[in-house]
Structure formats: structure tokens, C-alpha cells
């Protein structure tokens, strides 16, 4: 069965909670009980994950789930490595845009009841292009952030977007104009990150529980 020793799911705050600082001791003392009464255990999430509303945010399915538009010589493509490329060409009237309709979560479904949801993504200027590129972030048909992308190496970015009414569905998108060419990957839109204090989203050990999981497994052999 599922061994749910820690749970930060919004709405479970009233349930009995194990202090993360006591996780290591708890797991070690749980070993004889698990060994005696079960055939093993499973956990919900070995590493942290963001509960994203975006479908196909890493573009492994090409442009599936995304709506594209462009003008002039503007182009929206996914390259052979699975990265989104928005290319605004050199014509003054050209643009390239991609968007997807996502859902606004209510505060009760969000960490800390903060439903100004986060948009996180990786971006870089298209290699071998001169100068910087301008990237606009659109939310509910409005430009809410305008970024300058000048590096040709991947940079992470996280932005808080203004909350809409609960459960509203609205388009979230990226747009470049003429003279800009930007690559994008790993798009996530969320307000809850599930955390069992084992490994973080980058797979690094979290000290409270992470180092003790291998110890627990050895105790159960």
C-alpha cells in the first residue's frame, strides 16, 4: 500500500502531520512494522513535482495541445530536440505566438492559499542570432510580462500571474515580434508543488527524509 508519511496537499492541513525534522527517526522505527504486516510499501512521489495545468509543456508531443498563430514570415516550430522555437523573422509586421487554455485554481487548492499562480519555463535566445530578443507573456489575452532574452544558454524563469475568478479558463501564451527568435522548454503553470521531503524537483536529496529512504529499504531486505 501507499506509505503516506508526509503530505502537503492543500486541504489536508487539519490532518495529523509528521514534523519533517522527525522524518528520519520515524522511517527507521517504521521498518519492523512494515516488515511484519506488509509485503512492501509505495510512496506517492519520490521527488517533488509541480501540479501543472499545462499539457505537453516540454513539447515532447510537438505542438499538440497548443494553438499557434503568426504573420509575415513568423514561424512557430518544434525542433528535432523537442524545443519550441518562436521566430519573428525580420519583417516589421511579423510575429509568432503560441498559447494554451488553462484553468485558474481557487486559493484552497494552492500552497499558502496563494492563487496568483506561477508560470515557470526555460528560455534562451536562438543560437547564432545577433542581439537580444523580446518575449511577451500573455495571460487572459493581455501582455502581463515583457522579457528581454539575450543569453544563448537555458535560463529558468518563474513569474506570478494575477489571479482570475476561481476555475476560470483562459489562454496562457508566449509571443515574439519581428527581429526576435526565442527557444522555450519546460513550461509549467501551477500553484501547488507536492513535497515529500525526499528529493527536490532537480532530484537532489532533501535532508529530512531523503537519506533515510535507502536505509529503510536495506532494513526491509
Amino acid at each position: 500500500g501507499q506509505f503516506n508519511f508526509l503530505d502537503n496537499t492543500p486541504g489536508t492541513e487539519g490532518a495529523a502531520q509528521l514534523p519533517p525534522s522527525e522524518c528520519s527517526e520515524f522511517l527507521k522505527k517504521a521498518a519492523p512494522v512494515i516488515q511484519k504486516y506488509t509485503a512492501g510499501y509505495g510512496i506517492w512521489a519520490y521527488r517533488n513535482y509541480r501540479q501543472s495545468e499545462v499539457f505537453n509543456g516540454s513539447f515532447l508531443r510537438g505542438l499538440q495541445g497548443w494553438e499557434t498563430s503568426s504573420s509575415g514570415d513568423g514561424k512557430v516550430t518544434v525542433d528535432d530536440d523537442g524545443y519550441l522555437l518562436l521566430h519573428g523573422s525580420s519583417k516589421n509586421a511579423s510575429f509568432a505566438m503560441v498559447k494554451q487554455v488553462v484553468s485558474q485554481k481557487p486559493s484552497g487548492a494552492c500552497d499558502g492559499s496563494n492563487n496568483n499562480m506561477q508560470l515557470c519555463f526555460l528560455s534562451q535566445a536562438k543560437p547564432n542570432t545577433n542581439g537580444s530578443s523580446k518575449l511577451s507573456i500573455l495571460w487572459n489575452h493581455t501582455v502581463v510580462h515583457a522579457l528581454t532574452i539575450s543569453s544563448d544558454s537555458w535560463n529558468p524563469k518563474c513569474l506570478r500571474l494575477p489571479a482570475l475568478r476561481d476555475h476560470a479558463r483562459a489562454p496562457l501564451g508566449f509571443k515574439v515580434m519581428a527581429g526576435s527568435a526565442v527557444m522555450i522548454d519546460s513550461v509549467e503553470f501551477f500553484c501547488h508543488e507536492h513535497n515529500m521531503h525526499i528529493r527536490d524537483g532537480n532530484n537532489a536529496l532533501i535532508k529530512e527524509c531523503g537519506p533515510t529512504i535507502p536505509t529503510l529499504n536495506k532494513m526491509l531486505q
Side-chain angles (χ1 to χ4, degrees):
Q2 183 183 155
F3 189 22
N4 207 20
F5 50 88
L6 282 172
D7 188 358
N8 74 323
T9 302
T12 64
E13 294 83 0
Q17 298 286 338
L18 173 70
S21 60
E22 298 178 11
C23 183
S24 180
E25 181 182 4
F26 176 84
L27 291 175
K28 291 174 183 177
K29 290 185 176 180
V33 179
I34 294 173
Q35 194 166 47
K36 182 175 181 180
Y37 293 105
T38 76
Y41 74 96
I43 52 179
W44 180 256
Y46 192 69
R47 59 185 286 183
N48 291 5
Y49 68 89
R50 294 162 173 169
Q51 195 164 304
S52 178
E53 293 296 303
V54 172
F55 172 74
N56 188 30
S58 293
F59 305 99
L60 298 177
R61 297 174 179 262
L63 289 168
Q64 187 176 344
W66 296 90
E67 179 184 343
T68 67
S69 58
S70 60
S71 69
D73 291 336
K75 295 180 181 178
V76 180
T77 59
V78 175
D79 68 13
D80 292 339
D81 294 319
Y83 304 132
L84 174 69
L85 173 61
L86 298 178
H87 194 177
S89 182
S90 58
K91 295 184 178 180
N92 289 336
S94 72
F95 74 88
M97 182 172 68
V98 63
K99 62 183 179 181
Q100 181 176 142
V101 174
V102 294
S103 180
Q104 166 70 57
K105 290 294 187 182
S107 59
C110 299
D111 294 337
S113 298
N114 185 356
N115 67 337
N116 292 310
M117 295 176 67
Q118 289 194 74
L119 169 66
C120 293
F121 59 96
L122 299 175
S123 66
Q124 68 171 29
K126 182 184 177 183
N128 303 317
T129 55
N130 295 323
S132 60
S133 290
K134 303 295 185 182
L135 176 66
S136 296
I137 310 299
L138 297 98
W139 173 227
N140 195 27
H141 309 287
T142 302
V143 175
V144 289
H145 290 280
L147 308 176
T148 298
I149 311 296
S150 56
S151 173
D152 60 358
S153 59
W154 290 107
N155 287 301
K157 188 73 173 180
C158 285
L159 305 164
R160 288 278 184 182
L161 304 189
L164 307 179
R165 61 177 174 79
D166 291 355
H167 305 294
R169 292 182 61 77
L172 173 68
F174 301 90
K175 183 178 183 179
V176 300
M177 302 300 291
S180 291
V182 177
M183 299 172 67
I184 297 172
D185 193 29
S186 303
V187 181
E188 298 174 295
F189 184 60
F190 65 99
C191 65
H192 169 60
E193 180 170 331
H194 199 77
N195 182 6
M196 288 193 70
H197 296 268
I198 300 173
R199 289 181 178 270
D200 66 19
N202 296 316
N203 208 34
L205 280 174
I206 299 176
K207 65 179 182 179
E208 287 86 358
C209 306
T212 311
I213 291 293
T215 301
L216 171 63
N217 293 340
K218 288 181 180 179
M219 295 173 71
L220 296 176
Q221 290 177 352

